[in-house]
């Protein structure tokens, strides 16, 4: 494909909009890509071969674009939010047996990250180490760019240059959403419709993978105003700050006190569940809390826990104070349930751990629970409420 444009004009367009984003591109034909997208992601609708009139920005949904004489399809997944799609893109590359590249800017700081996979293996990634404004870069495709002992501003510039070079080498073209669909380079445009609000725990788990994946969190199917008092009265929560509208990431918006431990308690928008991040970076048994909240409010509760040393990972569902399902993975899958049969997995050709993680994610989706990553902005429209609790 011949073009005089920069391969990444989308970056310039989206930065003018002052918006985070999460997009990806796959080296495969559109007719192979779409069915796999429908299996890997929650997709409500698909329109194939849209009329090539108007602009990409006119489309309401997720455009998927194929350019003439180019082997890549571009998926403009989200503009305005930046969900981590690393594991989904890795899975997609394995299913399609091809290359998939995920690009994202988590906020408006103009810090681009990318993750490139081939047949489910990492081939290159440049990951933002947000705590010290550095980059973790690995590649089997080329030499590492010079990213050490330079300022964050210089790093951003070096990353822009590096991703431009990679996209050019791979013949990937990523135009902005101001692209005219009548452009002679456009071969085909499909449109995907996503649910209005996300569900599941996959985004949270992917975010935890960036650091120390150990935690104990829970969700109660009740309004936040009913959950908070129980935690205050029965579980020694010392203080409750309500309705944060901070324009910061959730973990940055937590009150700072080196002698106290503050945790987020969230009510996702249009969702009946309250999510409590009881402890992150450590493990704790949540049985008493979930039993008590579930019995007191005569409702459902679910705990999600992971212990890094053993690799144990699982969940427990409670209803009106009684545990009705317990499942997880530590070297092997365990499952006990009063409400359904044990699942039979026929896809252990994939990573067994990944298959179990997908099952747990789908369980949260079925229950209607959304566990967001704490890297999201506290004022994101996905949240009806973001409160903070001081445990001690």
């Amino acid at each position: 494909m011949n073009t005089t444009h920069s391969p990444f004009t989308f970056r310039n367009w989206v930065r003018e909009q002052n918006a985070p984003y999460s997009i990806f591109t796959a080296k495969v034909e559109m007719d192979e890509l779409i069915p796999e997208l429908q299996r890997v992601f929650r997709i409500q609708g698909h329109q194939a071969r849209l009329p090539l009139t108007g602009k990409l920005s006119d489309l309401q949904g997720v455009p998927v674009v194929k350019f003439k004489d180019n082997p890549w399809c571009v998926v403009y997944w989200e503009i305005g939010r930046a969900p981590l799609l690393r594991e989904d893109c890795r899975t997609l590359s394995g299913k399609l047996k091809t290359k998939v590249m995920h690009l994202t800017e988590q906020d408006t700081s103009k810090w681009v990250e990318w993750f490139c996979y081939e047949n489910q293996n990492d081939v290159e990634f440049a990951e933002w180490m947000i705590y010290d404004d550095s980059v973790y870069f690995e590649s089997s495709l080329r030499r590492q760019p010079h990213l050490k002992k330079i300022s964050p501003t210089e790093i951003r510039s070096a990353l822009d240059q590096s991703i431009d070079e990679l996209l050019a080498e791979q013949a990937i073209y990523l135009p902005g959403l101001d692209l005219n669909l009548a452009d002679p380079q456009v071969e085909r445009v499909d449109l995907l419709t996503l649910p209005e609000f996300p569900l599941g725990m996959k985004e949270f788990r992917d975010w935890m993978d960036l650091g120390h994946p150990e935690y104990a969190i829970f969700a109660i199917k009740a309004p936040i105003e009913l959950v908070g008092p129980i935690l205050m009265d029965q579980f020694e929560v010392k203080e409750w700050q309500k309705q944060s509208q901070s324009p910061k990431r959730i973990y940055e918006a937590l009150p700072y006190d080196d002698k106290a431990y503050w945790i987020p308690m969230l009510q996702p928008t249009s969702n009946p569940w309250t999510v409590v991040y009881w402890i992150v970076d450590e493990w704790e048994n949540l049985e008493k809390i979930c039993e008590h909240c579930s019995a007191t409010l005569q409702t459902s509760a679910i705990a999600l826990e992971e212990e890094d040393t053993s690799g144990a990972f699982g969940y427990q569902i409670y209803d009106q104070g009684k545990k009705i399902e317990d499942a997880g993975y530590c070297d092997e899958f365990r499952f006990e349930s009063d409400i359904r049969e044990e699942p039979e997995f026929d896809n252990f050709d994939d990573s067994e751990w990944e298959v179990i993680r997908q099952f747990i994610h789908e369980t949260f989706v079925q229950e209607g629970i959304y566990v967001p990553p704490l890297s999201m902005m506290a004022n994101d429209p996905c949240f009806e409420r973001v409160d903070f609790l001081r445990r001690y």
Side-chain angles (χ1 to χ4, degrees):
M1 172 181 174
N2 294 319
T3 177
T4 58
H5 302 297
S6 160
F8 201 9
T9 55
F10 170 81
R11 174 186 55 216
N12 303 329
W13 176 85
V14 78
R15 287 178 180 174
E16 287 177 1
Q17 315 306 310
N18 203 34
Y21 64 86
S22 191
I23 65 174
F24 59 94
T25 181
K27 195 174 185 179
V28 69
E29 292 298 322
M30 184 86 80
D31 287 334
E32 294 180 65
L33 175 62
I34 296 297
E36 226 33 83
L37 290 177
Q38 292 171 322
R39 281 187 277 269
V40 173
F41 296 98
R42 291 178 63 230
I43 293 174
Q44 290 187 332
H46 169 227
Q47 299 176 57
R49 300 183 182 278
L50 298 185
L52 299 181
T53 59
K55 294 185 176 182
L56 271 180
S57 57
D58 297 334
L59 302 178
Q60 300 299 307
V62 176
V64 185
V65 184
K66 179 72 168 60
F67 297 100
K68 293 177 181 176
D69 303 318
N70 189 286
W72 296 82
C73 290
V74 182
V75 184
Y76 293 90
W77 191 255
E78 284 211 46
I79 316 299
R81 286 187 69 234
L84 284 172
L85 304 175
R86 294 172 53 174
E87 293 307 316
D88 291 320
C89 287
R90 184 199 302 276
T91 298
L92 199 60
S93 75
K95 298 290 187 185
L96 293 168
K97 301 187 186 308
T98 190
K99 285 182 180 175
V100 174
M101 184 181 295
H102 171 37
L103 301 100
T104 183
E105 292 184 28
Q106 296 181 39
D107 54 27
T108 58
S109 63
K110 301 181 180 179
W111 193 302
V112 63
E113 299 177 83
W114 62 91
F115 308 88
C116 187
Y117 307 99
E118 184 168 17
N119 298 334
Q120 211 159 1
N121 297 310
D122 296 332
V123 292
E124 180 169 307
F125 59 89
E127 180 184 329
W128 183 12
M129 301 288 98
I130 193 168
Y131 296 103
D132 63 358
D133 274 344
S134 64
V135 178
Y136 184 49
F137 182 95
E138 285 193 10
S139 179
S140 61
L141 301 174
R142 56 185 180 150
R143 296 179 62 182
Q144 179 171 344
H146 176 63
L147 297 170
K148 295 182 178 180
K149 296 183 179 180
I150 58 177
S151 70
T153 300
E154 292 171 317
I155 290 176
R156 290 177 177 86
S157 177
L159 288 172
D160 282 351
Q161 180 179 343
S162 183
I163 187 60
D164 281 348
E165 292 169 354
L166 179 61
L167 294 175
E169 290 168 5
Q170 298 294 320
I172 300 173
Y173 176 43
L174 299 173
L177 296 191
D178 54 351
L179 176 73
N180 275 308
L181 299 183
D183 188 306
Q185 296 179 109
V186 177
E187 178 180 303
R188 174 177 168 181
V189 177
D190 284 21
L191 191 67
L192 307 176
T193 304
L194 304 182
E196 183 178 5
F197 296 108
L199 289 175
M201 44 63 69
K202 189 182 291 184
E203 289 182 37
F204 170 76
R205 184 57 189 73
D206 284 353
W207 179 72
M208 287 300 301
D209 258 346
L210 301 179
H212 181 62
E214 189 161 274
Y215 51 86
I217 66 178
F218 62 91
I220 309 296
K221 196 173 186 179
I224 200 168
E225 283 292 341
L226 297 182
V227 176
I230 296 175
L231 300 180
M232 293 281 288
D233 295 342
Q234 300 296 320
F235 295 97
E236 300 183 350
V237 169
K238 308 300 184 187
E239 190 175 347
W240 181 4
Q241 290 191 10
K242 298 184 180 183
Q243 296 183 316
S244 170
Q245 291 295 317
S246 172
K248 296 181 179 180
R249 300 173 192 273
I250 295 168
Y251 69 81
E252 293 175 327
L254 285 164
Y256 176 75
D257 186 339
D258 59 1
K259 296 181 180 179
Y261 185 70
W262 288 86
I263 62 171
M265 178 170 66
L266 313 178
Q267 182 98 56
T269 302
S270 301
N271 191 297
W273 292 82
T274 294
V275 183
V276 183
Y277 297 78
W278 193 245
I279 191 163
V280 176
D281 291 332
E282 293 183 39
W283 178 86
E284 192 172 319
N285 190 303
L286 298 176
E287 185 168 7
K288 288 184 179 179
I289 296 178
C290 289
E291 280 184 352
H292 184 84
C293 291
S294 174
T296 301
L297 296 172
Q298 288 294 285
T299 189
S300 300
I302 189 166
L304 179 68
E305 302 161 335
E306 184 166 1
E307 202 275 323
D308 187 43
T309 303
S310 66
F313 175 49
Y315 70 90
Q316 301 82 41
I317 300 176
Y318 301 81
D319 185 57
Q320 300 183 51
K322 178 186 176 184
K323 186 190 293 185
I324 59 172
E325 187 163 295
D326 186 349
Y329 180 80
C330 183
D331 296 327
E332 61 182 13
F333 180 58
R334 74 169 196 281
F335 185 87
E336 296 179 6
S337 179
D338 297 338
I339 55 177
R340 56 178 173 169
E341 297 295 322
E342 181 171 348
E344 295 184 7
F345 301 110
D346 58 4
N347 53 345
F348 275 160
D349 288 342
D350 300 333
S351 160
E352 186 174 5
W353 192 92
E354 289 297 334
V355 171
I356 301 304
R357 189 178 79 151
Q358 181 64 23
F359 167 74
I360 294 176
H361 168 71
E362 290 170 357
T363 297
F364 274 66
V365 171
Q366 291 163 11
E367 294 291 331
I369 304 167
Y370 178 46
V371 182
L374 299 184
S375 56
M376 288 180 64
M377 299 298 176
N379 60 355
D380 191 293
C382 283
F383 304 131
E384 186 175 300
R385 284 269 295 271
V386 176
D387 292 5
F388 300 124
L389 304 175
R390 182 168 68 86
R391 287 188 56 194
Y392 50 79

